[in-house]
Amino acid sequence: MGMSVGSDSTHEDEGIVDINTTPLIDVMLVLLIMLIITIPLQTHSVAIDLPQGNPPPSTVQPKLVTVSIGYDNSISWNNEPITSEASLQAHFEAAAAMPDQPEMHIHPDRLADYKTVAHVMADAQRLGMTKLGIVGLDQFMEGQ
């Protein structure tokens, strides 16, 4: 029964000093597969006909219609009071039927109800107005 105890045998006591590259190779393979999968998604292109050159500036001023909504939810069309829902809808239909549709600027008061503003915008869109804009938003800024 012989047993070797001591540091005479250096072959058995040496540690492994090499880096375990198996996890590194696994991670690199996963990254390579993800790259291969995502590349075809990025190469799809959509053909768009873009305009060439700069268009000349428009010399014709667009027609403007101003719809004001007061603090008491009163509605006016170019500073003329609107008294009924039917009258407002008639104005929208007439403006939408024009060959060169005017721009409609909605100017709500700071204290006007959201319900009234949303109702006016929904009616305008439903009746064919496509050029809508809300103006006068500077009154809603902090400190004013």
Side-chain angles (χ1 to χ4, degrees):
M1 265 188 3
M3 189 161 100
S4 169
V5 179
S7 62
D8 292 347
S9 172
T10 58
H11 298 290
E12 294 176 10
D13 294 333
E14 287 183 10
I16 300 175
V17 293
D18 294 334
I19 296 175
N20 187 4
T21 58
T22 304
L24 179 65
I25 293 171
D26 290 344
V27 169
M28 293 303 291
L29 287 175
V30 169
L31 290 175
L32 181 65
I33 291 171
M34 290 176 62
L35 180 70
I36 290 171
I37 290 172
T38 58
I39 285 177
L41 296 177
Q42 296 174 357
T43 58
H44 292 289
S45 62
V46 177
I48 298 175
D49 294 328
L50 296 175
Q52 301 297 322
N54 293 330
S58 178
T59 58
V60 178
Q61 292 293 330
K63 297 177 186 175
L64 294 178
V65 172
T66 303
V67 177
S68 299
I69 302 172
Y71 67 93
D72 57 350
N73 297 322
S74 61
I75 301 170
S76 63
W77 183 278
N78 286 338
N79 296 326
E80 296 176 12
I82 302 293
T83 57
S84 68
E85 180 75 21
S87 174
L88 180 64
Q89 291 180 2
H91 282 294
F92 285 145
E93 288 173 350
M98 291 180 170
D100 185 24
Q101 192 178 91
E103 291 182 7
M104 188 175 93
H105 291 182
I106 300 174
H107 191 299
D109 189 82
R110 179 182 203 150
L111 301 175
D113 289 341
Y114 174 77
K115 178 177 76 173
T116 306
V117 177
H119 180 72
V120 168
M121 290 175 61
D123 278 352
Q125 182 183 18
R126 181 177 51 83
L127 294 171
M129 295 294 294
T130 57
K131 299 177 181 178
L132 300 173
I134 298 177
V135 297
L137 295 179
D138 53 337
Q139 64 181 329
F140 296 103
M141 293 174 59
E142 292 285 330
Q144 291 189 4

